[in-house]
Amino acid sequence: MTYWEAILTLHTHFHLSNKRAKTWQANNVAKYLYYVLAVFLYGYMAWIGTELARLTAMENLGGYRFIYALLPLLLFFDYIFRYTTDHRLLMYIRPYQLLPLPKHTYTDYLIIRQLVHIKNTYLLFLCVPFGIKTIVPELGALAMTGYTIGLYLLLLVNGQFFQLTQVLTARRLYYWLIPILVYLSIAATAFFFPSAQDYIHRCARIGNAMMKGDVWIYVMVILLLVLLILLNRKILYRHIYKELYATSQTTGSQNSLSLSFFERFNQIGEYLKLETWAILRNKRLRLVFILDTVSIALFCVLILINPENDPIETHSFLYYCFIIYGLAFLTRIMCYEGNYFECLLMQRHSIQTLLLAKYYFYSALLLIPLLIFLPAVILGKISMWEILAYTLFSAGVCYRILFQMAIYNKVTFSMNTTHTGKTSSSPYLHIIVTAVVILSALPIISLGTWWLKLPALSNTILSILGIIFIVTHRRWITGISRQMKEKQHEQLEGFKKSR
């Protein structure tokens, strides 16, 4: 098989693999829901682009030149957005390494797949409407062509940088310093100019060179793209073989944390140990937990340094900080337990005990945002009653909604996989439940805080609703475990098929 025949064969197999994914076939409604959400997202980005063009014209911000001043921020958002949609595919290359294919076929296919993917055009849905409103009337269609090509090349560079760092950060946590330092360095260049107008003017020189078709700017961008492709090729090739020949290294320090504190809680304590070890040992869960905690701390810092906080944004993000652990872990409740679901069914009340342990564990995690926001309470930025109300509402109402997913989740997740792929595809029910959890507190907050100007009323209602479900948690957890018992054969079949 020649090099290009192998590339086309890999593309065909990956395409068929996506179509045959069990999670995709089991949720036909999700296909149409994703299409609707994609159209809505593209339309919303186009609207932002047109509104940004109108704003720059009214505020005298330099017209089309303003988009080049925003490029570092836009490229950073593009990098973050790729983490919500892209999945690591190294583990799906493993079977093909047993075949006598050309040496770099696997790495080149992954790079080509990333270069031609439609995700490289997401940001253009914002930038192209902006350019049509600002560049075409002033400079014409030819400049618009150079503007679009230049932006697309920058997005390709950003995509290759994302693929490179995605592989590295999956292996070692300290590799996160690479994207952090790169984007901070790019953003820091704005502080070396005496004024914002000087910064916009210097960025406009680069943009004008792209729109005029100057060869030097395109040569620099293309050389950067080629350099990242070659570096990416080397890193991918090395890590593909690390995935293939990975060996478990056991050291005495790995089991140094005995968690003997939980033994006093009998069987619930054993399940609490499982929950703790799942986050400590599973690379994906550990990374999600760290990122969620860091995001909570960053938002607290923003509240502390901002002299005038918008009440709407403050309440919205404050509430999100308290439900972020639930959204990250409990929407997939029982998916990891699908690896040993048969063992849970063999013991009476084991599922109920497991769900109780999960509820206590994730309720205890709410102490983390509660403690993080204490400095803001001490400095008078937010009230203690607000964070207590969000804590109670999250532990009561939000967790009651999320625990219902234990009945409907039927896809098994690998216990300790770094490169997750199709198992991360969300069925439509996950999207609906997530939206319900996020919006559940909005009517109460709007009624008391924004409409009646009585934040104490909102805090009281949130607290009362949360306390009701907290007090009755054993009753509704028993009801969930009873429904799981009734559907045990259906769930067991789904867990076995997806292993």
Side-chain angles (χ1 to χ4, degrees):
M1 184 178 292
T2 64
Y3 174 83
W4 287 110
E5 288 177 346
I7 292 289
L8 293 176
T9 302
L10 285 172
H11 174 70
T12 302
H13 289 185
F14 270 72
H15 179 68
L16 292 174
S17 176
N18 292 330
K19 293 178 64 176
R20 293 171 179 172
K22 296 181 179 66
T23 53
W24 187 250
Q25 291 177 349
N27 297 278
N28 293 322
V29 181
K31 302 176 185 179
Y32 304 103
L33 183 60
Y34 288 148
Y35 297 149
V36 172
L37 290 176
V39 172
F40 174 78
L41 177 62
Y42 297 153
Y44 186 68
M45 293 182 66
W47 177 79
I48 293 176
T50 55
E51 288 297 312
L52 187 61
R54 183 179 62 84
L55 179 65
T56 54
M58 293 177 57
E59 299 294 335
N60 193 23
L61 295 175
Y64 70 88
R65 301 168 184 84
F66 185 68
I67 196 70
Y68 292 105
L70 289 180
L71 265 182
L73 185 62
L74 294 177
L75 291 176
F76 174 72
F77 285 153
D78 177 67
Y79 181 90
I80 296 298
F81 182 73
R82 290 174 188 268
Y83 265 103
T84 64
T85 55
D86 283 27
H87 308 299
R88 304 179 183 96
L89 301 174
L90 296 191
M91 64 178 299
Y92 298 106
I93 296 294
R94 287 184 180 182
Y96 299 97
Q97 292 177 313
L98 302 176
L99 302 177
L101 298 178
K103 182 177 180 181
H104 288 285
T105 304
Y106 326 107
T107 57
D108 292 350
Y109 170 71
L110 294 177
I111 292 174
I112 294 172
R113 179 187 176 92
Q114 200 283 328
L115 288 173
V116 300
H117 206 287
I118 192 174
K119 294 172 185 176
N120 294 314
T121 64
Y122 283 165
L123 204 59
L124 293 180
F125 285 92
L126 184 149
C127 296
V128 169
F130 178 88
I132 293 175
K133 295 275 290 185
T134 57
I135 297 176
V136 174
E138 187 173 347
L139 301 176
L142 189 61
M144 181 67 190
T145 303
Y147 163 83
T148 306
I149 295 175
L151 286 178
Y152 183 66
L153 287 175
L154 290 176
L155 290 175
L156 292 181
V157 170
N158 207 42
Q160 285 299 301
F161 179 69
F162 167 80
Q163 190 176 34
L164 173 67
T165 55
Q166 185 190 36
V167 175
L168 292 175
T169 54
R171 305 293 300 186
R172 293 290 185 272
L173 192 61
Y174 57 78
Y175 281 118
W176 276 102
L177 292 174
I178 296 177
I180 291 173
L181 293 177
V182 167
Y183 287 106
L184 282 180
S185 301
I186 296 174
T189 56
F191 296 98
F192 292 96
F193 295 92
S195 65
Q197 293 296 331
D198 292 334
Y199 172 69
I200 294 175
H201 178 71
R202 183 60 61 89
C203 294
R205 291 182 58 184
I206 300 175
N208 289 332
M210 288 183 175
M211 289 186 291
K212 292 177 182 178
D214 289 349
V215 177
W216 66 270
I217 188 67
Y218 284 104
V219 169
M220 290 179 59
V221 176
I222 292 174
L223 284 178
L224 179 60
L225 179 61
V226 172
L227 178 64
L228 284 174
I229 288 175
L230 295 177
L231 184 60
N232 201 4
R233 190 188 199 200
K234 183 177 180 180
I235 296 296
L236 282 172
Y237 183 78
R238 181 192 305 171
H239 282 78
I240 283 175
Y241 278 88
K242 282 187 177 181
E243 289 284 316
L244 181 62
Y245 301 110
T247 58
S248 59
Q249 299 177 354
T250 57
T251 59
S253 61
Q254 288 182 339
N255 295 323
S256 58
L257 188 60
S258 62
L259 300 178
S260 58
F261 169 76
F262 294 125
E263 293 178 0
R264 67 187 66 185
F265 302 110
N266 301 325
Q267 191 174 3
I268 290 181
E270 296 301 321
Y271 287 122
L272 287 172
K273 286 183 181 180
L274 286 178
E275 295 298 321
T276 306
W277 281 121
I279 293 179
L280 293 177
R281 289 179 171 176
N282 189 302
K283 296 179 181 179
R284 180 177 179 271
L285 294 182
R286 185 171 66 241
L287 178 61
V288 171
F289 177 78
I290 293 173
L291 292 178
D292 290 346
T293 307
V294 170
S295 64
I296 295 172
L298 289 176
F299 180 70
C300 181
V301 172
L302 290 177
I303 291 180
L304 292 174
I305 65 177
N306 191 1
E308 296 181 0
N309 293 306
D310 185 7
I312 297 178
E313 293 182 358
T314 301
H315 282 278
S316 300
F317 286 101
L318 189 64
Y319 171 63
Y320 181 75
C321 288
F322 281 92
I323 63 173
I324 188 171
Y325 290 127
L327 295 179
F329 298 103
L330 294 180
T331 51
R332 311 290 182 177
I333 187 172
M334 298 304 298
C335 287
Y336 289 97
E337 286 75 12
N339 292 280
Y340 51 89
F341 193 69
E342 302 93 326
C343 300
L344 294 174
L345 295 177
M346 293 173 63
Q347 296 185 2
R348 189 180 182 185
H349 302 308
S350 59
I351 294 179
Q352 180 181 351
T353 307
L354 172 63
L355 293 178
L356 281 172
K358 283 182 175 291
Y359 181 76
Y360 297 146
F361 180 81
Y362 289 102
S363 296
L365 286 185
L366 293 175
L367 294 175
I368 296 177
L370 185 66
L371 295 175
I372 289 177
F373 282 108
L374 279 182
V377 174
I378 296 173
L379 296 177
K381 296 290 185 177
I382 54 179
S383 68
M384 187 65 187
W385 197 1
E386 286 179 0
I387 61 175
L388 282 177
Y390 289 133
T391 303
L392 295 173
F393 187 81
S394 300
V397 178
C398 298
Y399 283 3
R400 172 63 186 91
I401 298 172
L402 291 171
F403 266 73
Q404 191 70 21
M405 292 300 299
I407 304 172
Y408 305 108
N409 286 333
K410 305 172 186 175
V411 179
T412 301
F413 280 13
S414 179
M415 292 297 294
N416 193 23
T417 181
T418 302
H419 306 292
T420 55
K422 298 182 188 63
T423 54
S424 59
S425 300
S426 299
Y428 71 97
L429 192 57
H430 289 170
I431 301 175
I432 295 174
V433 170
T434 301
V436 170
V437 171
I438 294 175
L439 299 176
S440 59
L442 183 60
I444 302 173
I445 299 173
S446 302
L447 175 64
T449 305
W450 304 330
W451 295 340
L452 300 179
K453 304 298 182 182
L454 296 172
L457 177 63
S458 295
N459 296 334
T460 303
I461 297 175
L462 291 174
S463 301
I464 292 174
L465 291 176
I467 291 173
I468 291 173
F469 284 96
I470 291 174
V471 172
T472 60
H473 72 277
R474 284 187 174 269
R475 178 174 297 180
W476 53 262
I477 286 178
T478 302
I480 291 174
S481 61
R482 187 183 301 115
Q483 295 181 57
M484 292 181 64
K485 195 70 175 178
E486 295 173 356
K487 297 184 178 181
Q488 59 180 342
H489 300 292
E490 184 180 348
Q491 280 193 296
L492 184 59
E493 182 181 1
F495 286 137
K496 284 185 175 180
K497 285 184 177 179
S498 55
R499 288 176 186 171

